[in-house]
Amino acid sequence: MVHPPARGALGRDPTRILVAAIGAATTLAFAAGAGGSWLPPFDVSAPGGSPSVPMVALDMAGDGIAVWTQTEAGNIRARVVRVPLVGSPGAPLTLSAAGANGEDPDVALDDDGDALAVWERSNGMNLIIQAAWLPRSGPGGATMDLSAIGQDAQDPHVVLDADGDATVVWARSDGVNDIVQAVQIPALGTPGPVRDLSVAGRPAEHPRLDVERDGDAI
């Protein structure tokens, strides 16, 4: 494995880029902003298991985090790894529970390096949106169910503001159409109430989200 570069190789340029790609493994590479030189890639996923669907995020210090899916013990599982700008990646952790597929992960970081990962997983009857906090120091938090049971929910997307407050969106069936829903989660806390964003009566899909530093989101 090729390790991430020493900090001096990229300086403290806030436009650093971290890119994830899928080949035989989940592979990451850094570049130092627009026009910067790409550094050698390094693998973060274990061999085998058909890794797929990588997503990445960076904090203000340039440290990164990556999520992807990989087959493990007969199920697709959402996985995560920390990627410091200095030193070697941490050991990958499995986010979704065994026994059902956990797919379509996403992840966001705040300025301090605390992260929230989200994914979709079957509860045996429906797909539900789940999430877990990943503090910069210490173990990951308990898995939280975000969407209501009874209908399929899918395509989650998450953002964090500078203070670590999260907003998550997804699409969920109301029994007739998919509607876009959202929930806000205070930093390292538990979810608030779920809100319907799209109007009933017409399908709404593939929600995406962005947030500014003070927490206003669109």
Side-chain angles (χ1 to χ4, degrees):
M1 182 180 71
V2 178
H3 297 304
R7 194 172 297 272
L10 293 181
R12 302 293 293 176
D13 183 350
T15 63
R16 279 183 300 274
I17 301 166
L18 176 63
V19 170
I22 290 293
T26 300
T27 301
L28 303 181
F30 280 95
S37 298
W38 286 100
L39 297 160
F42 50 98
D43 294 344
V44 293
S45 63
S50 301
S52 186
V53 199
M55 299 293 290
V56 297
L58 286 174
D59 64 20
M60 290 294 288
D63 296 323
I65 194 167
V67 291
W68 67 95
T69 60
Q70 192 163 4
T71 302
E72 179 182 312
N75 292 119
I76 299 170
R77 308 283 294 277
R79 309 206 78 193
V80 63
V81 69
R82 292 273 185 174
V83 186
L85 189 61
V86 174
S88 300
L93 301 175
T94 301
L95 292 168
S96 58
N101 290 340
E103 301 186 69
D104 207 9
D106 193 25
V107 68
L109 280 168
D110 67 12
D111 285 0
D112 296 326
D114 296 324
L116 183 68
V118 296
W119 61 93
E120 64 186 51
R121 182 183 182 275
S122 173
N123 66 357
M125 297 182 63
N126 304 112
L127 295 175
I128 57 174
I129 305 303
Q130 297 186 314
W133 286 107
L134 303 166
R136 186 182 186 92
S137 59
T143 297
M144 302 177 287
D145 293 344
L146 301 185
S147 62
I149 62 173
Q151 298 288 346
D152 285 338
Q154 56 192 345
D155 201 14
H157 187 53
V158 58
V159 293
L160 296 183
D161 65 20
D163 294 327
D165 298 324
T167 305
V168 185
V169 292
W170 61 85
R172 180 184 181 274
S173 173
D174 63 2
V176 179
N177 297 302
D178 282 350
I179 59 173
V180 172
Q181 297 183 315
V183 68
Q184 293 178 304
I185 310 173
L188 299 179
T190 56
V194 173
R195 302 179 183 181
D196 293 344
L197 298 186
S198 61
V199 298
R202 293 179 181 271
E205 300 177 329
H206 305 302
R208 288 297 177 264
L209 188 66
D210 204 0
V211 66
E212 49 96 29
R213 293 183 59 79
D214 293 331
D216 294 325
I218 185 169

